[in-house]
Amino acid sequence: MLSNFLSYIVQGTGVTIAVTLIALPFGLLIGLLLALLYNYGNRWVARSAGIYSLLMRGVPPIVLLFILYFILSGRLINLSPFWAGSLSLGLVSSAYQMEILRGALAAVGAGQMTAARAIGLTRLQAIRYVILPQAIRLAIPPWSNEASIVLKDSSLVYALGVPEILRRAQQLSATTGQPFLAFGAAALIYFCLVFLTNRALDYLAEKTKLPTQPV
Amino acid sequence: MKRLWLWFSLVLVLSLLLASCGQNAGGSRLKAIQQAGVIKVGTSADYPPFEFVDANGNTTGFDVELMNEIGKRLGVKVEWVDMPFDSLIAGVQEGKIDAAIAAFNYSEDRDKVVDFSDVYYTSEDAFTVVEGSSLTINDPAQDLLSLKLGVQTGTTQDDWLTALVDEGKLPADNLARYDRVDQIALDLKNGRIDVMMSDAVPAEALAKQLGGLKVIYKGVLSSGPMNIVLPEGEADLAKAINEILAQLKAEGFIENLAIKYFAE
Amino acid sequence: MASSLILQAKNLTKIYGENVIFRDISLDVRKGETIVIIGPSGTGKSTLLRCLNLLTRVNSGQIFLEGREITAPGTNEDQVREQIGMVFQNFLLFNHLTALENVMLGLTKVKKLPKEQARQKAMQELSRVGLADRAGHYPAQLSGGQQQRVAIARALAMDPKVMLFDEPTSALDPELIGEVLGVMAQLARDNMTMLVVTHEMGFAREVADRIVFMEKGSIVEQGAPDDLFERPQHARTREFLWKITELYGKKEKP
């Protein structure tokens, strides 16, 4: 019976991973777009992107989840709890990813853009071939942090009834009367997921690191 | 870039407009449910024995079986949606689920935003002693304090007695907790405890089964009448469900369920 | 001096807010000519270069590239910059690309050359600046002088009609200046059209066909190096030359 229960919690891992795999790239897409608008758009565009970031970071993720699922979904678009949850987390994350990326873009420096334009690259080409490859390298370590946060925040979708790890642990804690076991198992799974994610991104950072040693 | 942003704001404004005017356009929820052949019922499967997940990962419990029977009699399938208890009212309110059953007690605050079915079960508490005992209980909060009590772990009765202990009224040594109600009954017969506090339905069932026991007090102390949460203003749905509840009470279905879930 | 005009600036004025960077500057650059612009810091020399390849917009005036006005509305600025090479004070190599890739980027993305062809052309340019053996090195693995030579190769690869040098040796340690100036002198001998902003008076005297002295946002005087250095017409030119030789004299002292 106990192994049944534990496997029941483990089944939630798939949901947790799926939510993260939707929220993170969705947030990256929007975050990147906003970071580019913020750094290279005109004053009003940049200001709007800044306000978006401020709003998204200022609202607790759970509130955004409720707004998207209970209020917007069903009137605009029909979103299942799973998608409403994943996309809300993506929206929240987009603001943080925007901050990471705009910091990275700024750190690349205006000179690189000037040099790229000077050989005749268009603005978009310069961003694509010169600025982004450098910015993304700079963004990997803070982004790794954000990935862990989204992974752990994915537990919030339980509030919409998506049976991910935490919700399953709650149910089992109630049924078995063994909260330590149930939540301990959940904590262990989260830890493993975060650990593996960070290691994978560390590896990526190491792989893409530019050589500095004189040869 | 400018144009892109224009599109962005346009979509945003459009969304907000839609959001403000797209409210549910009346109509009978009951018909919609019957047409779909499915009623979506929310519960919070972390409250045994009313609703919980069994060893195979299935949602079950007193409320769950009751609602499945109601669904059967409505001629529709019940689709269970598990949510945290706190999300259920919002779920019914916003039409994400057609009903919620999770040992809800009626409250005026909740009644402002959702409707309630008739009471489907009143969780009455009972005090049981050995036959031939001369104990009487009139005011439980007073009369119990010097007695040795047995209660099932994690029940509402456990909470109620534990509160007395926490308030310093009931000595902690006087309270014995058991995994199962029949264990309490055995200790009661053996004289290790004076009184068993439990749900009334299983108490009477046990007294009948085991013999040598009598219920000396019944009353609502630790819990109360339970209702199904229904969407606001859906009179057809409420009527249909209330009729089925009346049938189920008359047939003894609910009492049997109570014995099944609260006596073991 | 009969050769054709490559770049022509007419009455250029640049103002940042209240700040006049330069006013009413006119300059003709002929094919094969090496012009060195000298003058005190903050007199708008660098801004002038950036205006000439449209990295910065002038407030008024016209610029012509081979007779075509590039300040006219509707001009494809990217095409203009492709034809005007620029070398910066702080090199500005693309940090994430090797020396070879730095030179290749414009060839593949702007000139749309096939990769192999671009590689060959890039290697030629690296050889021209003496760095064929550093092709696989990243900027961080190169000395400042080497980085600047790669930057020159990067600009040359686009086959520019004119090369702009914005204080190309100011950020270099003294012992690295020579290799960069050497490459530039060779370019001048190869008849590249060049416009150089620098404080290297030795280079100016030796390599330039014409010296332009700029101060406080305007051209004070211009002429052949010997004329300007030996017989400056204006007191301000004399003063500047005196100051800068004194500076160099101090620098020479151990």
Side-chain angles (χ1 to χ4, degrees), chain B residues 197-224:
Chain B
M197 183 178 183
S198 67
D199 261 318
V201 174
E204 282 175 333
L206 271 175
K208 207 181 285 173
Q209 270 171 26
L210 296 174
L213 299 173
K214 66 173 180 183
V215 174
I216 54 166
Y217 178 93
K218 281 207 295 187
V220 177
L221 296 172
S222 67
S223 183

Side-chain angles (χ1 to χ4, degrees), chain A residues 54-77:
Chain A
L54 213 60
L55 280 179
M56 285 297 167
R57 287 180 298 140
V59 176
I62 189 81
V63 174
L64 203 67
L65 236 75
F66 282 153
I67 290 177
L68 193 64
Y69 181 63
F70 286 123
I71 300 176
L72 293 185
S73 165
R75 291 175 195 175
L76 293 174
I77 21 160

Side-chain angles (χ1 to χ4, degrees), chain A residues 112 117 125 129 211 213 215, chain C residues 81 93 96 109 138 141:
Chain A
Q112 293 284 314
R117 299 306 301 276
Q125 282 179 319
Y129 298 115
Q213 291 299 312
V215 181
Chain C
R81 290 195 202 101
L93 288 183
H96 64 302
K109 302 306 174 199
Y138 285 89
Q141 297 172 300

